[in-house]
Amino acid sequence: MDNEYGDRVAAGFAAGDEDCVALVSRRWRPLVHALARRSPGARPATSGRPRT
């Protein structure tokens, strides 16, 4: 990504532009997910079902 394009995407993301939010999400989701899993206090992944 060149700087001008990156700046436009960042500005669109900050403004809530749906296309920019989707682009940023696709690009950075794996990194954010990996970092969140390694953060202190992170809980192990669950099956998505509430505990009974």
Side-chain angles (χ1 to χ4, degrees):
M1 221 184 288
D2 67 24
N3 285 342
E4 183 179 335
Y5 178 73
D7 290 345
R8 287 196 322 254
V9 170
F13 178 84
D17 180 275
E18 290 182 21
D19 292 332
C20 293
V21 170
L23 178 69
V24 169
S25 177
R26 282 191 306 272
R27 170 65 177 93
W28 295 104
R29 184 181 319 146
L31 176 62
V32 170
H33 181 73
L35 291 174
R37 291 195 53 156
R38 290 173 177 78
S39 68
R43 295 182 292 166
T46 64
S47 64
R49 293 182 293 171
R51 294 181 192 191
T52 56

